[in-house]
Amino acid sequence: MSAKPVGQFPALRPRRLRQSPALRRLVCETRLSVEQLVLPLFVRSGKKIRKPIGAMPGVFQLSLDEMLHEARAAHQLGVPAVLLFGIPDKKDERASGAYAKNGIVQQAVRLLKKELPELLIITDVCLCEYMSHGHCGIVHTDKRGGKILNDPSLKLLARTAASHAEAGADIVAPSDMMDGRVRAIRSELDAIGFSDTPIMSYAAKFASAFYGPFREAAESTPKFGDRRSYQMDAANTNEALREVALDIQEGADIVMVKPALAYLDIIHRVKTEFGYPTAAYAVSAEYSMIKAAAAKGWIDERAVTMESLLAMRRAGADIIITYAAADVARWLAE
Ligand SMILES: [Zn+2]
């Protein structure tokens, strides 16, 4: 479809269609609606705990009871889905908390499915929050330092996804960026009778400084090195498309680009080239920057948030994961 005008001024006057709110709404090309939003939640053990995350005002580590409260409030506002991250009591070198039958995410899933059966439960599948070293895979250390092992990590990721599905998760979302994880997870799910559980893969996940505040939220800062040997280089577009193609071939049902706002070109390319359901993750620093500037009175929080999320929709995102989901739902309803 061409956007090129076929006439010229004065016959063509684009301002004609901008004269009133009703006219502008009538010709509006992109809409943001509550059905597209996903709210991430950080869950931990304990009772009545709402531990604030310093760099993310309004976001908390929540005990199960408080998480239920938060999920219910968002769901009542029309938010259809939550994305769960777990903060375990103990970490080890095998990330055993990630796939424990009674792990924190597994408990959260069972509780949410029982209390809010209509709410879609998406679980983040990764090992970093559960590993003592904070990396997304198994680490082998020798004289040259630590190396993140790909293939042995796949078994643990598949096991984690399986345990989430068994607990009742509606969608599993691997975020580790190990090669072959979607295939490993798909075959494990199929083998244990969950061939209907969709996979939303963090297909193009970039090594990004925009994740800073999240690491405090999920307590998942790596103890050594960084994640650049598995997450993508911010400079690369073609590689992002290859990553997405691979995940689709391996069985991903929904593909995600993360972060969102600084990567709108990637979202656009992914959506146009593959036409798959595409998710954009508006990450922690995207949220924090708006909150911080708004707190200083420098920007209008609501307007800037809505414009940012609309830009993700315009780029091609079908699904938007945002810490502001409940606020946005409220604003959309006004
Ligand atoms: Zn991870």
Side-chain angles (χ1 to χ4, degrees), residues 124-129 134-137 157 175-177 205 214 220 227 230-231:
D124 179 84
V125 175
C126 202
L127 306 174
C128 50
E129 293 115 273
H135 277 288
C136 304
L157 290 162
S175 62
D176 51 283
M177 288 300 278
K205 181 178 180 183
F214 173 94
S220 62
R227 294 194 168 94
Y230 41 109
Q231 295 178 355

PDB file of all heavy atoms in Angstrom, residues 124-129 134-137 157 175-177 205 214 220 227 230-231, ligand 1:
ATOM      1  N   ASP A 124       7.858 -16.491  32.593  1.00  0.00           N
ATOM      2  CA  ASP A 124       9.197 -16.300  32.062  1.00  0.00           C
ATOM      3  C   ASP A 124       9.992 -17.566  32.370  1.00  0.00           C
ATOM      4  O   ASP A 124      10.026 -18.014  33.515  1.00  0.00           O
ATOM      5  CB  ASP A 124       9.856 -15.094  32.739  1.00  0.00           C
ATOM      6  CG  ASP A 124      11.260 -14.863  32.235  1.00  0.00           C
ATOM      7  OD1 ASP A 124      11.408 -14.216  31.192  1.00  0.00           O
ATOM      8  OD2 ASP A 124      12.219 -15.342  32.886  1.00  0.00           O
ATOM      9  N   VAL A 125      10.583 -18.146  31.331  1.00  0.00           N
ATOM     10  CA  VAL A 125      11.387 -19.357  31.520  1.00  0.00           C
ATOM     11  C   VAL A 125      12.851 -18.981  31.386  1.00  0.00           C
ATOM     12  O   VAL A 125      13.330 -18.684  30.289  1.00  0.00           O
ATOM     13  CB  VAL A 125      11.015 -20.437  30.480  1.00  0.00           C
ATOM     14  CG1 VAL A 125      11.948 -21.641  30.602  1.00  0.00           C
ATOM     15  CG2 VAL A 125       9.559 -20.859  30.645  1.00  0.00           C
ATOM     16  N   CYS A 126      13.547 -18.922  32.521  1.00  0.00           N
ATOM     17  CA  CYS A 126      14.986 -18.664  32.479  1.00  0.00           C
ATOM     18  C   CYS A 126      15.611 -19.198  33.750  1.00  0.00           C
ATOM     19  O   CYS A 126      14.910 -19.619  34.668  1.00  0.00           O
ATOM     20  CB  CYS A 126      15.289 -17.178  32.301  1.00  0.00           C
ATOM     21  SG  CYS A 126      16.961 -16.951  31.626  1.00  0.00           S
ATOM     22  N   LEU A 127      16.925 -19.183  33.781  1.00  0.00           N
ATOM     23  CA  LEU A 127      17.620 -19.766  34.925  1.00  0.00           C
ATOM     24  C   LEU A 127      18.302 -18.699  35.782  1.00  0.00           C
ATOM     25  O   LEU A 127      18.660 -18.956  36.927  1.00  0.00           O
ATOM     26  CB  LEU A 127      18.668 -20.780  34.432  1.00  0.00           C
ATOM     27  CG  LEU A 127      18.129 -21.875  33.499  1.00  0.00           C
ATOM     28  CD1 LEU A 127      19.279 -22.726  32.968  1.00  0.00           C
ATOM     29  CD2 LEU A 127      17.091 -22.744  34.203  1.00  0.00           C
ATOM     30  N   CYS A 128      18.456 -17.482  35.233  1.00  0.00           N
ATOM     31  CA  CYS A 128      19.320 -16.494  35.897  1.00  0.00           C
ATOM     32  C   CYS A 128      18.886 -16.135  37.317  1.00  0.00           C
ATOM     33  O   CYS A 128      19.729 -15.990  38.199  1.00  0.00           O
ATOM     34  CB  CYS A 128      19.467 -15.244  35.040  1.00  0.00           C
ATOM     35  SG  CYS A 128      17.924 -14.555  34.439  1.00  0.00           S
ATOM     36  N   GLU A 129      17.571 -16.013  37.540  1.00  0.00           N
ATOM     37  CA  GLU A 129      17.131 -15.648  38.889  1.00  0.00           C
ATOM     38  C   GLU A 129      17.434 -16.751  39.907  1.00  0.00           C
ATOM     39  O   GLU A 129      17.427 -16.512  41.100  1.00  0.00           O
ATOM     40  CB  GLU A 129      15.616 -15.374  38.927  1.00  0.00           C
ATOM     41  CG  GLU A 129      15.164 -14.145  38.168  1.00  0.00           C
ATOM     42  CD  GLU A 129      14.283 -14.531  36.985  1.00  0.00           C
ATOM     43  OE1 GLU A 129      14.866 -14.793  35.916  1.00  0.00           O
ATOM     44  OE2 GLU A 129      13.058 -14.585  37.128  1.00  0.00           O
ATOM     45  N   GLY A 134      23.996 -15.957  38.587  1.00  0.00           N
ATOM     46  CA  GLY A 134      23.155 -14.976  37.897  1.00  0.00           C
ATOM     47  C   GLY A 134      23.155 -15.037  36.386  1.00  0.00           C
ATOM     48  O   GLY A 134      22.608 -14.147  35.726  1.00  0.00           O
ATOM     49  N   HIS A 135      23.751 -16.095  35.792  1.00  0.00           N
ATOM     50  CA  HIS A 135      23.708 -16.217  34.335  1.00  0.00           C
ATOM     51  C   HIS A 135      22.513 -17.073  33.910  1.00  0.00           C
ATOM     52  O   HIS A 135      21.947 -17.816  34.716  1.00  0.00           O
ATOM     53  CB  HIS A 135      25.024 -16.798  33.788  1.00  0.00           C
ATOM     54  CG  HIS A 135      26.074 -15.745  33.615  1.00  0.00           C
ATOM     55  ND1 HIS A 135      26.007 -14.801  32.621  1.00  0.00           N
ATOM     56  CD2 HIS A 135      27.192 -15.473  34.341  1.00  0.00           C
ATOM     57  CE1 HIS A 135      27.055 -13.988  32.717  1.00  0.00           C
ATOM     58  NE2 HIS A 135      27.792 -14.366  33.755  1.00  0.00           N
ATOM     59  N   CYS A 136      22.168 -16.974  32.633  1.00  0.00           N
ATOM     60  CA  CYS A 136      20.951 -17.629  32.141  1.00  0.00           C
ATOM     61  C   CYS A 136      21.165 -19.102  31.781  1.00  0.00           C
ATOM     62  O   CYS A 136      20.246 -19.772  31.336  1.00  0.00           O
ATOM     63  CB  CYS A 136      20.390 -16.865  30.948  1.00  0.00           C
ATOM     64  SG  CYS A 136      20.072 -15.134  31.326  1.00  0.00           S
ATOM     65  N   GLY A 137      22.400 -19.590  31.932  1.00  0.00           N
ATOM     66  CA  GLY A 137      22.681 -20.991  31.632  1.00  0.00           C
ATOM     67  C   GLY A 137      23.686 -21.552  32.632  1.00  0.00           C
ATOM     68  O   GLY A 137      24.155 -20.830  33.528  1.00  0.00           O
ATOM     69  N   LEU A 157      16.221 -25.760  30.978  1.00  0.00           N
ATOM     70  CA  LEU A 157      15.185 -24.842  30.485  1.00  0.00           C
ATOM     71  C   LEU A 157      13.918 -25.615  30.130  1.00  0.00           C
ATOM     72  O   LEU A 157      12.805 -25.195  30.464  1.00  0.00           O
ATOM     73  CB  LEU A 157      15.709 -24.072  29.269  1.00  0.00           C
ATOM     74  CG  LEU A 157      16.799 -23.042  29.589  1.00  0.00           C
ATOM     75  CD1 LEU A 157      17.559 -22.654  28.328  1.00  0.00           C
ATOM     76  CD2 LEU A 157      16.201 -21.810  30.262  1.00  0.00           C
ATOM     77  N   SER A 175      13.428 -16.839  27.888  1.00  0.00           N
ATOM     78  CA  SER A 175      14.106 -15.547  27.713  1.00  0.00           C
ATOM     79  C   SER A 175      15.621 -15.665  27.751  1.00  0.00           C
ATOM     80  O   SER A 175      16.323 -14.672  27.758  1.00  0.00           O
ATOM     81  CB  SER A 175      13.664 -14.584  28.823  1.00  0.00           C
ATOM     82  OG  SER A 175      14.042 -15.091  30.078  1.00  0.00           O
ATOM     83  N   ASP A 176      16.136 -16.899  27.772  1.00  0.00           N
ATOM     84  CA  ASP A 176      17.559 -17.122  28.036  1.00  0.00           C
ATOM     85  C   ASP A 176      18.491 -16.845  26.861  1.00  0.00           C
ATOM     86  O   ASP A 176      19.663 -16.581  27.043  1.00  0.00           O
ATOM     87  CB  ASP A 176      17.728 -18.590  28.411  1.00  0.00           C
ATOM     88  CG  ASP A 176      17.053 -19.454  27.345  1.00  0.00           C
ATOM     89  OD1 ASP A 176      15.812 -19.550  27.365  1.00  0.00           O
ATOM     90  OD2 ASP A 176      17.755 -19.977  26.465  1.00  0.00           O
ATOM     91  N   MET A 177      17.970 -16.975  25.626  1.00  0.00           N
ATOM     92  CA  MET A 177      18.766 -16.795  24.400  1.00  0.00           C
ATOM     93  C   MET A 177      19.809 -17.893  24.166  1.00  0.00           C
ATOM     94  O   MET A 177      20.785 -17.693  23.421  1.00  0.00           O
ATOM     95  CB  MET A 177      19.423 -15.407  24.334  1.00  0.00           C
ATOM     96  CG  MET A 177      18.451 -14.269  24.067  1.00  0.00           C
ATOM     97  SD  MET A 177      17.537 -14.415  22.503  1.00  0.00           S
ATOM     98  CE  MET A 177      18.735 -13.770  21.320  1.00  0.00           C
ATOM     99  N   LYS A 205      16.399 -10.820  21.624  1.00  0.00           N
ATOM    100  CA  LYS A 205      16.634 -10.161  22.916  1.00  0.00           C
ATOM    101  C   LYS A 205      18.048  -9.608  22.897  1.00  0.00           C
ATOM    102  O   LYS A 205      19.026 -10.346  22.770  1.00  0.00           O
ATOM    103  CB  LYS A 205      16.463 -11.158  24.054  1.00  0.00           C
ATOM    104  CG  LYS A 205      16.663 -10.543  25.429  1.00  0.00           C
ATOM    105  CD  LYS A 205      16.420 -11.574  26.523  1.00  0.00           C
ATOM    106  CE  LYS A 205      16.606 -10.973  27.901  1.00  0.00           C
ATOM    107  NZ  LYS A 205      16.433 -11.989  28.957  1.00  0.00           N
ATOM    108  N   PHE A 214      15.577  -3.679  36.078  1.00  0.00           N
ATOM    109  CA  PHE A 214      15.011  -5.032  36.190  1.00  0.00           C
ATOM    110  C   PHE A 214      15.884  -5.933  37.054  1.00  0.00           C
ATOM    111  O   PHE A 214      15.401  -6.755  37.825  1.00  0.00           O
ATOM    112  CB  PHE A 214      14.859  -5.655  34.800  1.00  0.00           C
ATOM    113  CG  PHE A 214      14.432  -7.104  34.805  1.00  0.00           C
ATOM    114  CD1 PHE A 214      13.095  -7.436  34.703  1.00  0.00           C
ATOM    115  CD2 PHE A 214      15.366  -8.122  34.919  1.00  0.00           C
ATOM    116  CE1 PHE A 214      12.700  -8.762  34.713  1.00  0.00           C
ATOM    117  CE2 PHE A 214      14.979  -9.453  34.933  1.00  0.00           C
ATOM    118  CZ  PHE A 214      13.641  -9.775  34.829  1.00  0.00           C
ATOM    119  N   SER A 220      18.871 -10.529  39.594  1.00  0.00           N
ATOM    120  CA  SER A 220      19.500 -11.455  38.648  1.00  0.00           C
ATOM    121  C   SER A 220      20.746 -10.876  37.991  1.00  0.00           C
ATOM    122  O   SER A 220      21.091 -11.240  36.880  1.00  0.00           O
ATOM    123  CB  SER A 220      18.482 -11.828  37.567  1.00  0.00           C
ATOM    124  OG  SER A 220      18.091 -10.669  36.849  1.00  0.00           O
ATOM    125  N   ARG A 227      26.188 -10.539  29.687  1.00  0.00           N
ATOM    126  CA  ARG A 227      25.393 -11.520  28.948  1.00  0.00           C
ATOM    127  C   ARG A 227      25.626 -11.450  27.434  1.00  0.00           C
ATOM    128  O   ARG A 227      24.833 -11.950  26.655  1.00  0.00           O
ATOM    129  CB  ARG A 227      23.908 -11.325  29.271  1.00  0.00           C
ATOM    130  CG  ARG A 227      23.557 -11.641  30.724  1.00  0.00           C
ATOM    131  CD  ARG A 227      22.055 -11.769  30.905  1.00  0.00           C
ATOM    132  NE  ARG A 227      21.705 -12.347  32.197  1.00  0.00           N
ATOM    133  CZ  ARG A 227      21.425 -11.634  33.276  1.00  0.00           C
ATOM    134  NH1 ARG A 227      21.448 -10.317  33.239  1.00  0.00           N
ATOM    135  NH2 ARG A 227      21.098 -12.230  34.409  1.00  0.00           N
ATOM    136  N   TYR A 230      25.461 -14.433  24.911  1.00  0.00           N
ATOM    137  CA  TYR A 230      24.209 -15.053  24.472  1.00  0.00           C
ATOM    138  C   TYR A 230      23.160 -14.040  24.021  1.00  0.00           C
ATOM    139  O   TYR A 230      22.447 -14.285  23.066  1.00  0.00           O
ATOM    140  CB  TYR A 230      23.652 -16.061  25.492  1.00  0.00           C
ATOM    141  CG  TYR A 230      23.724 -15.696  26.962  1.00  0.00           C
ATOM    142  CD1 TYR A 230      22.574 -15.370  27.662  1.00  0.00           C
ATOM    143  CD2 TYR A 230      24.930 -15.722  27.663  1.00  0.00           C
ATOM    144  CE1 TYR A 230      22.626 -15.078  29.021  1.00  0.00           C
ATOM    145  CE2 TYR A 230      24.985 -15.411  29.013  1.00  0.00           C
ATOM    146  CZ  TYR A 230      23.831 -15.085  29.691  1.00  0.00           C
ATOM    147  OH  TYR A 230      23.879 -14.788  31.015  1.00  0.00           O
ATOM    148  N   GLN A 231      23.043 -12.894  24.691  1.00  0.00           N
ATOM    149  CA  GLN A 231      22.102 -11.890  24.186  1.00  0.00           C
ATOM    150  C   GLN A 231      22.729 -11.162  22.994  1.00  0.00           C
ATOM    151  O   GLN A 231      23.933 -11.133  22.831  1.00  0.00           O
ATOM    152  CB  GLN A 231      21.748 -10.895  25.301  1.00  0.00           C
ATOM    153  CG  GLN A 231      20.990 -11.578  26.431  1.00  0.00           C
ATOM    154  CD  GLN A 231      20.664 -10.648  27.576  1.00  0.00           C
ATOM    155  OE1 GLN A 231      21.078  -9.491  27.600  1.00  0.00           O
ATOM    156  NE2 GLN A 231      19.911 -11.151  28.533  1.00  0.00           N
TER     157      GLN A 231
HETATM  158 ZN    ZN B   1      17.942 -15.023  32.249  1.00  0.00          ZN
END
